[in-house]
Amino acid sequence: MLIAVAGAGYVGLSSALAFAVSGHDVRVFDRDHARVDRLRRGEDPLAEPFVEELLGTFSDMTFTTDPRAAFRGVDAVAVAVGTPTTSRGEADISQLLIVADTVAREAPQCHVLIRSTVPVGTGDRLRREALRRFRVVANPEFLREGHAIEDALYPDRIVGGGDAEDEPLVRALYEQILEQRFPPRGALVPRTAHPRLLWMDRRSAELAKYAANAFLVTKLSFVNEIANVAAAVHADIRAVTEVLASDPRIGSAYLRPGIGWGGSCFPKDTRALVAFAAESGYEFTILRAAIEQNNKQLLRTYEELATELEGRVGVRIALLGLAFKAGTADCRDSRAIALAELFLTRGWEVHAFDPGVVSSPFVPPAVQVKRTAIEAADGADAVVIATEWPSFAALNLEELRRVMRGNLVYDGRCILEPDAVAAAGLRYRGVCPPIPND
Ligand code: UDX
């Protein structure tokens, strides 16, 4: 099939490459000239595993800013443009509406798959308005940054929402992924587990995407809350989460306590779900609480550090981590950066290091970005681990102690061993505190 993918972000680019691996001809459309130029040169703009290799393999893939060249003669269009949040917390679907108009103008009658996360009813609206001539299918993705290609080739499930007559096209488009029959590409080989195509109506498919993210953030806020209770009652949260994780009904994923959840999806999608539920007359109590807990969780860290460093002048913080999670360079809605902003507001100096981030428009200019963790810790009163990079778990604690001015280490991601920190002459604080000695 000849597929056009609109939007070359995480979702669009990984979908496009997965379609190419599955044997389809693919054209990628993006309005961003700089990004398209980089992709034409075979460069990965997202720093995602496997992307550069696949761009090299499919070097004849079309990347274009020209809508006519992108959409002419295609069998299907997959739309994966951003749906950022408005100041009122709603999803801003303006980019999607512009692309829909462009597709309506340039593409032949075909299927249009909506990969973007969109409020329930958006597909119906497109079907009634801009895309009247087209077959509109809700086809949300569930990829995690840092695993975009793997999640596209080995999804847990593929969700399709539309009329029954739309299903065969979607099944054919994803056939090689559903049956794990695509030709191996280096380490990307078909697996024995086959994902299922879950077919439903458009609205249910749209809601399912929000429901999945909402469930995960609720789990995270819950575990953070239990960690706070554990600290208050002198119980060991690591032992408690081990018990939770061993129950298959609960599952072991998304149980690591931290300074809160962030990223390009969770915050915006949860706000959007609360907003469109409210618009339909329903108050989403649990999700509102999960969001509120996430805000509190960050303040808790900040306040604990403020108490610990009370009375010190010229405080310098070494902030380890800027990306919203390990394995990505993405700093959108990063809790690490929200923390940096609180520190700066208090007049503290922030020296930061992140193995994946050299510069980012999201890092406040006052934050000094260093080349190593030790460089960031040099002269610091406190080291704060804000992103769960594995290299931070392997820090040389003796060296850290030697270069720091103070001796406080705040583990905001539950990745250090409190005993090892204490053995190096450092004071451990964090979201997973050990049980104090009697
Ligand atoms: C998420 C969803 O996982 C994905 O299905 C959806 O399509 C997009 O949003 P992503 O934004 O890449 O993916 O991040 P994810 O790996 O889910 O992590 C989100 C946040 O939760 C990060 O801030 C991370 O640090 C935090 N987290 C995750 C924890 O604090 N503890 C955990 O145990 C897991």
Side-chain angles (χ1 to χ4, degrees):
M1 271 189 245
L2 175 57
I3 317 294
V5 177
Y10 288 92
V11 177
L13 192 53
S14 56
S15 302
L17 290 169
F19 290 145
V21 169
S22 310
H24 299 300
D25 292 320
V26 185
R27 294 183 195 147
V28 180
F29 167 78
D30 200 294
R31 61 179 182 180
D32 180 341
H33 288 263
R35 173 159 293 197
V36 165
D37 284 344
R38 289 190 67 182
L39 288 164
R40 281 180 179 157
R41 290 196 298 270
E43 288 171 26
D44 167 15
L46 308 172
E48 278 287 321
F50 303 112
V51 165
E52 207 142 278
E53 289 160 57
L54 291 176
L55 287 173
T57 308
F58 300 105
S59 53
D60 55 350
M61 206 158 130
T62 303
F63 294 98
T64 181
T65 54
D66 174 2
R68 185 148 299 172
F71 300 121
R72 199 181 33 209
V74 295
D75 297 306
V77 177
V79 180
V81 294
T83 50
T85 212
T86 66
S87 54
R88 290 165 52 208
E90 293 156 351
D92 171 3
I93 59 164
S94 55
Q95 290 180 53
L96 181 81
L97 297 178
I98 292 170
V99 165
D101 282 338
T102 312
V103 169
R105 223 176 28 247
E106 307 293 352
Q109 259 184 5
C110 66
H111 280 80
V112 179
L113 279 61
I114 309 299
R115 303 282 283 149
S116 308
T117 303
V118 292
V120 177
T122 304
D124 289 358
R125 174 178 166 189
L126 291 171
R127 179 80 183 79
R128 278 195 313 271
E129 297 173 8
L131 297 175
R132 267 187 311 277
R133 290 189 297 119
F134 296 80
R135 312 248 12 134
V136 179
V137 174
N139 178 215
E141 53 64 44
F142 298 89
L143 67 84
R144 296 156 301 159
E145 289 187 20
H147 300 269
I149 295 295
E150 288 158 282
D151 287 350
L153 287 174
Y154 313 113
D156 297 317
R157 69 300 213 191
I158 292 175
V159 173
D163 300 332
E165 62 215 85
D166 300 324
E167 186 182 342
L169 178 286
V170 175
R171 196 170 280 285
L173 182 59
Y174 287 105
E175 191 181 1
Q176 299 217 356
I177 293 174
L178 288 166
E179 295 176 12
Q180 290 290 298
R181 273 202 289 110
F182 52 82
R185 303 277 172 190
L188 299 169
V189 295
R191 293 184 181 167
T192 43
H194 293 191
R196 281 202 302 145
L197 172 62
L198 303 176
W199 191 260
M200 58 198 73
D201 65 280
R202 263 195 302 264
R203 287 174 170 260
S204 304
E206 289 167 342
L207 182 58
K209 165 68 196 217
Y210 282 102
N213 279 354
F215 186 84
L216 293 173
V217 305
T218 307
K219 192 174 181 187
L220 287 174
S221 281
F222 175 83
V223 80
N224 285 338
E225 200 115 81
I226 287 289
N228 300 344
V229 173
V233 301
H234 299 167
D236 178 0
I237 185 60
R238 295 167 204 250
V240 173
T241 49
E242 203 180 332
V243 174
L244 296 179
S246 65
D247 185 333
R249 292 171 304 173
I250 296 175
S252 59
Y254 289 76
L255 278 184
R256 197 188 50 254
I259 56 172
W261 38 270
S264 61
C265 292
F266 278 176
K268 89 172 165 66
D269 292 348
T270 47
R271 280 198 294 267
L273 176 47
V274 166
F276 72 71
E279 212 171 280
S280 311
Y282 187 77
E283 184 180 333
F284 203 143
T285 318
I286 290 183
L287 193 52
R288 284 178 97 95
I291 295 169
E292 190 188 330
Q293 198 289 325
N294 200 43
N295 297 333
K296 275 196 191 159
Q297 191 70 9
L298 191 79
L299 286 177
R300 188 181 153 86
T301 292
Y302 166 69
E303 280 159 9
E304 194 171 343
L305 282 159
T307 307
E308 289 288 342
L309 298 170
E310 186 77 63
R312 287 217 173 208
V313 282
V315 169
R316 184 189 291 177
I317 303 285
L319 184 67
L320 300 188
L322 288 165
F324 83 88
K325 67 170 185 179
T328 180
D330 197 343
C331 293
R332 283 177 288 176
D333 244 315
S334 166
R335 298 283 86 189
I337 289 179
L339 206 48
E341 281 162 354
L342 290 171
F343 295 159
L344 292 170
T345 311
R346 203 180 172 88
W348 294 349
E349 220 178 282
V350 180
H351 291 195
F353 168 69
D354 187 297
V357 182
V358 182
S359 71
S360 158
F362 297 98
V363 177
V367 171
Q368 298 188 37
V369 181
K370 303 292 180 180
R371 282 170 310 175
T372 64
I374 295 298
E375 218 179 276
D378 196 6
D381 297 285
V383 168
V384 178
I385 297 183
T387 308
E388 62 277 17
W389 286 100
S391 62
F392 296 157
L395 279 174
N396 183 333
L397 297 168
E398 277 75 27
E399 197 180 356
L400 206 64
R401 177 73 193 95
R402 258 198 317 279
V403 300
M404 284 175 70
R405 182 170 80 169
N407 65 353
L408 181 64
V409 171
Y410 188 95
D411 180 4
R413 291 295 178 184
C414 204
I415 59 171
L416 294 179
E417 282 305 326
D419 288 348
V421 174
L426 292 160
R427 224 152 33 94
Y428 180 96
R429 291 286 180 275
V431 291
C432 294
I435 303 175
N437 297 324
D438 287 336

